[in-house]
Amino acid sequence: MVIVTTIRREVLTLPAAQLGPDNPLPPLRLLHEVHRIDARDRDELPRDMARQVDYEPLRSLLPVRVRDGYGRTREPRQFDALVIENDRLRATVLPGLGGRVASLLHKPTGRELLYRNPVFQPANFALNGAWFSGGIEWNIGATGHTTLSCSPLHAARVPAPDGGEMLRLWEWERLRDLPFQIDLWLPRHSDFLHVGVRIRNPHERPVPVYWWSNIAVPEERRVLAPAQEAWLPHCLKGVGGTPISYERRLRRVPVPAYDGIDCSYPLQNPYAADYFYEVPQERRRWIAALDDSGHGLVQTSTDVLRGRKLFVWGAGSGGRRWQNWLTEPGSGGYCEIQAGLARTQLEHVRLDAESEVSWTEAYGPLDTSPTGSSWSAVVDAAEARLEAVLPRADVDAAHAAWKPYADTEPGEVLATGSGWGALEVLRADLKLPGTPFDESTLGDPQEPWLHLLRAGSLPEPRRVRPPGETLVAPHWRDMLETAPATPLTEYHLGVAQWHHGDRAQAVRSWERALELAPSIWPLLRCLAVADQEAGNDERAADRYADAFDDLCHERRDDSERWTAATAALGREAIEALLAVRRTDQARAVWERLHPATRERGRFRLIEAHLLLAEGRQEEALDVFRAGFEAADLREGAEAVGRLWARLTDEPLPEHYDFRMRPPEV
């Protein structure tokens, strides 16, 4: 039999910033505000949308950790890549970075169909921090860019429906406790990369599901979708995968022309914006981005993947600054065309107990005119051209042909993800055909929880070190509640209780642990967060100061783990102390940070805040004059500009301008 698709390993070398260590402090709060629609506006939304925008928003990032240890110094670095190829297309996949499709090359024309980022530069866009731009990313979990953006997935060869090979990617998504898989294959002589996606709910309860496939394309394009209207978050602040509206409203606007601009041309938008297209129920699901010559990329799918969206950075100075921040000057800008399970990224879809949802997507070239007598004429012509090169019925047939292969056990393993799925499979004795989570993938992070599962107790650590990750799902919380009440168990139990909204119980667990704990700084830090949430900022400052003192006495060396803990706790402590005007104590914390930590851009910004609080305005300005880059600025961040305005009346320098909203907002 002729092999119609090949899969091979490759090494991709890019200028890359190091990811650095994860933040060891449990994320008891989200990194950004969860968007909610005002109650008075829900009546104006379609009934299913109104129901889904309030369905199970995240309470915290737990059990996932924040990834904020990266910087902005880039050096050549090798990334393991998997290349899937036929005679028409070549797709390059990065299994160690969320399964990102970094490149999709159309071989007959030599055209790159995606925006291919020439560097790897993490930035604070994912739900848990580190994210990078470019290619096709798979977003699962909750509103925003997935916590798996910079994490490894399992990968293996699997037989394809047409006799060739598929590349299977799979992992356990920890925010919602769900296994998922992504199968990529290229039918013989096909111009379209086929992607089968399946999300399974193995639990005895319904769960909220979120999925958006985000496709970066050059922004010098016209974006077409089969819609006459779109939902626009009003006065948008957050961008990309994280829509946050100042007025908390969704407005239905006409497309392509709205408010004097043609939003289908990304660079005609003055500011960043998300347009969630209202695709009529009967229309085929697709979205395309075409250059002036009519060449470009189209994405289409079976109807389950309902939503389509355009994200633009806009032509304003903030949008331009973010574009340069995420890549390097001269590499061109990008926009994103996207496809999701719901109309908007503000919604989560219910997945019933012990059920699954699946669909098939297709990505390939499209040649059709981006202009015409009217928007409807252009869209209809593009859809007709798509139907000619890839009929809608063929996508449905491809999905039907793929479904029996979704359970096929993988062959050669090509990459390994985390051990969290293996732990859950052991706990619940799950049978998940097609996505094996082998015990061999269990590692140090899972070891104490495996001991809890098998022996009913958490093992005491062999040496003093920052505590590991906390599992917070109901079954793990139940096990913690029945385990021997050691200080470490009480610490983890408190974190799990906090995640589930049992804040008074969490505080009691942490306070009980204080009495016998050999290491009290993790507990004091949790109690300080609880004080802040309760509005008791003075006591929070006391506890942060005591926690940092304890950590400095306890840390054994300058290893990566201890340095990350000192930086994370020191940053929170300084901010808490400055909030109650205790500048002397904040300065004392600053002086005990590692010298290398104090030189990081984020801490240079903190230093400027500290100098201003001490009345040393000119020295604070000198920090700006010397220059810094705070690598983990949040998208749409205005902290730099606000501090600058407190220091001087001079215009904000362009390289510090990250503002993403109109000045009057």
Side-chain angles (χ1 to χ4, degrees):
M1 180 180 291
V2 176
I3 300 299
V4 296
T5 300
T6 61
I7 299 172
R8 69 177 187 276
R9 289 187 172 94
E10 197 171 88
V11 174
L12 185 65
T13 302
L14 295 174
Q18 291 293 330
L19 270 174
D22 288 354
N23 188 321
L25 306 182
L28 302 179
R29 292 176 287 211
L30 294 168
L31 296 186
H32 60 89
E33 178 188 1
V34 174
H35 180 94
R36 291 183 176 87
I37 302 297
D38 284 349
R40 65 179 182 275
D41 294 322
R42 292 195 196 105
D43 292 341
E44 301 175 11
L45 301 178
R47 186 171 300 175
D48 59 336
M49 184 189 293
R51 180 177 63 252
Q52 291 173 173
V53 294
D54 283 332
Y55 181 44
E56 292 291 338
L58 285 185
R59 289 187 289 260
S60 77
L61 289 176
L62 292 163
V64 175
R65 283 190 161 174
V66 172
R67 312 198 77 168
D68 59 5
Y70 52 88
R72 291 192 56 80
T73 300
R74 296 195 285 262
E75 296 177 347
R77 177 181 162 196
Q78 293 186 334
F79 295 89
D80 291 332
L82 299 172
V83 176
I84 178 170
E85 184 172 14
N86 68 0
D87 58 333
R88 309 287 294 177
L89 283 177
R90 180 187 303 132
T92 302
V93 181
L94 303 177
L97 294 173
R100 183 78 58 100
V101 180
S103 170
L104 187 61
L105 182 72
H106 187 235
K107 295 164 69 172
T109 62
R111 294 193 189 107
E112 173 60 59
L113 299 181
L114 304 173
Y115 170 77
R116 183 171 185 171
N117 197 334
V119 304
F120 172 71
Q121 177 55 64
N124 189 5
F125 281 52
L127 285 165
N128 63 332
W131 171 90
F132 66 105
S133 65
I136 306 172
E137 58 173 314
W138 318 108
N139 289 295
I140 181 173
T143 297
H145 292 285
T146 178
T147 61
L148 295 167
S149 292
C150 295
S151 297
L153 305 188
H154 301 281
R157 299 179 194 268
V158 183
D162 59 0
E165 290 184 317
M166 287 193 299
L167 172 61
R168 175 163 298 164
L169 306 167
W170 73 99
E171 242 307 350
W172 191 278
E173 200 288 308
R174 301 178 67 203
L175 292 180
R176 303 303 194 183
D177 254 346
L178 300 175
F180 69 98
Q181 73 188 76
I182 305 164
D183 288 354
L184 301 96
W185 76 100
L186 288 165
R188 188 178 186 182
H189 304 316
S190 175
D191 281 323
F192 285 84
L193 173 68
H194 287 55
V195 182
V197 181
R198 175 167 65 168
I199 305 172
R200 287 187 275 200
N201 176 13
H203 307 296
E204 296 178 348
R205 65 183 189 281
V207 294
V209 168
Y210 174 94
W211 182 279
W212 282 81
S213 302
N214 289 11
I215 309 116
V217 294
E219 64 184 350
E220 297 86 3
R221 297 290 186 269
R222 191 180 197 194
V223 174
L224 307 179
Q228 300 293 324
E229 295 178 307
W231 295 94
L232 177 67
H234 187 50
C235 296
L236 197 67
K237 177 184 179 183
V239 293
T242 316
I244 303 172
S245 166
Y246 278 88
E247 294 190 9
R248 303 172 181 270
R249 302 195 66 185
L250 275 173
R251 289 194 291 176
R252 201 166 182 163
V253 300
V255 293
Y258 165 69
D259 204 21
I261 61 171
D262 187 334
C263 66
S264 66
Y265 291 95
L267 286 173
Q268 286 194 22
N269 291 266
Y271 298 100
D274 289 333
Y275 296 94
F276 298 101
Y277 294 107
E278 181 64 42
V279 179
Q281 192 70 29
E282 70 280 1
R283 293 295 294 260
R284 182 176 184 175
R285 269 58 177 156
W286 63 273
I287 189 168
L290 306 171
D291 64 20
D292 291 341
S293 300
H295 305 303
L297 171 82
V298 65
Q299 186 273 358
T300 188
S301 70
T302 48
D303 289 352
V304 167
L305 203 64
R306 175 179 186 174
R308 292 300 184 275
K309 173 195 161 185
L310 165 64
F311 161 69
V312 299
W313 283 104
S317 60
R320 297 301 90 198
R321 181 72 181 111
W322 275 114
Q323 293 268 33
N324 289 333
W325 186 258
L326 295 170
T327 177
E328 60 183 11
S331 59
Y334 76 95
C335 63
E336 288 181 0
I337 56 176
Q338 307 181 13
L341 282 175
R343 283 184 176 92
T344 74
Q345 289 171 337
L346 310 182
E347 302 167 69
H348 299 94
V349 177
R350 176 188 169 108
L351 184 58
D352 288 331
E354 299 178 334
S355 67
E356 66 180 51
V357 60
S358 67
W359 63 90
T360 293
E361 305 179 45
Y363 298 81
L366 187 68
D367 297 300
T368 184
S369 175
T371 60
S373 58
S374 68
W375 170 255
S376 294
V378 172
V379 168
D380 289 347
E383 188 166 309
R385 179 59 183 161
L386 173 60
E387 186 66 20
V389 296
L390 184 65
R392 185 178 188 177
D394 285 5
V395 178
D396 292 337
H399 181 67
W402 166 71
K403 281 299 295 294
Y405 288 80
D407 283 347
T408 302
E409 291 304 312
E412 180 190 1
V413 174
L414 300 171
T416 303
S418 78
W420 296 113
L423 183 65
E424 292 300 329
V425 167
L426 282 173
R427 179 196 62 79
D429 191 26
L430 298 175
K431 303 294 186 278
L432 299 170
T435 55
F437 293 95
D438 195 84
E439 280 192 56
S440 64
T441 62
L442 292 166
D444 289 344
Q446 293 82 39
E447 190 276 332
W449 300 97
L450 185 62
H451 191 278
L452 176 64
L453 178 65
R454 290 174 169 168
S457 64
L458 281 177
E460 288 301 312
R462 298 186 184 93
R463 60 186 184 276
V464 176
R465 60 182 181 180
E469 298 178 61
T470 302
L471 297 185
V472 296
H475 39 268
W476 292 108
R477 185 188 60 189
D478 292 344
M479 280 186 260
L480 288 169
E481 288 175 343
T482 58
T486 66
L488 182 61
T489 300
E490 294 281 18
Y491 163 80
H492 285 299
L493 175 58
V495 173
Q497 290 166 332
W498 180 274
H499 171 73
H500 287 277
D502 300 330
R503 296 193 170 186
Q505 290 284 4
V507 168
R508 282 192 283 272
S509 295
W510 293 326
E511 288 176 341
R512 283 196 303 269
L514 276 176
E515 298 174 7
L516 297 174
S519 175
I520 64 172
W521 67 264
L523 298 160
L524 288 173
R525 182 266 176 177
C526 290
L527 289 167
V529 173
D531 285 333
Q532 288 178 324
E533 292 295 294
N536 195 336
D537 293 339
E538 289 288 349
R539 190 167 67 180
D542 289 338
R543 281 175 161 159
Y544 266 121
D546 291 343
F548 193 75
D549 284 341
D550 186 65
L551 183 150
C552 290
H553 287 120
E554 183 178 287
R555 66 186 181 197
R556 296 296 187 261
D557 50 45
D558 290 338
S559 65
E560 184 178 80
R561 179 176 292 191
W562 281 110
T563 301
T566 304
L569 184 58
R571 173 177 168 177
E572 291 186 10
I574 291 172
E575 291 171 349
L577 290 163
L578 288 180
V580 294
R581 304 182 186 278
R582 298 190 197 174
T583 54
D584 289 345
Q585 286 181 286
R587 172 61 66 180
V589 172
W590 171 265
E591 296 296 340
R592 283 179 289 175
L593 295 172
H594 293 88
T597 297
R598 292 199 297 263
E599 291 302 313
R600 288 168 52 186
R602 165 58 69 175
F603 286 85
R604 294 287 286 157
L605 179 61
I606 291 172
E607 182 184 21
H609 277 283
L610 178 56
L611 288 166
L612 178 60
E614 293 172 328
R616 300 156 68 181
Q617 182 172 335
E618 195 63 27
E619 291 176 73
L621 271 172
D622 286 342
V623 174
F624 279 87
R625 292 168 183 146
F628 63 86
E629 291 185 321
D632 62 334
L633 285 177
R634 188 72 192 170
E635 51 174 332
E638 299 179 4
V640 177
R642 285 196 298 268
L643 178 57
W644 175 266
R646 293 176 62 193
L647 295 172
T648 177
D649 292 331
E650 296 178 19
L652 181 66
E654 183 177 328
H655 59 282
Y656 292 128
D657 187 1
F658 294 89
R659 295 171 294 189
M660 297 301 300
R661 57 174 179 161
E664 66 273 11
V665 174

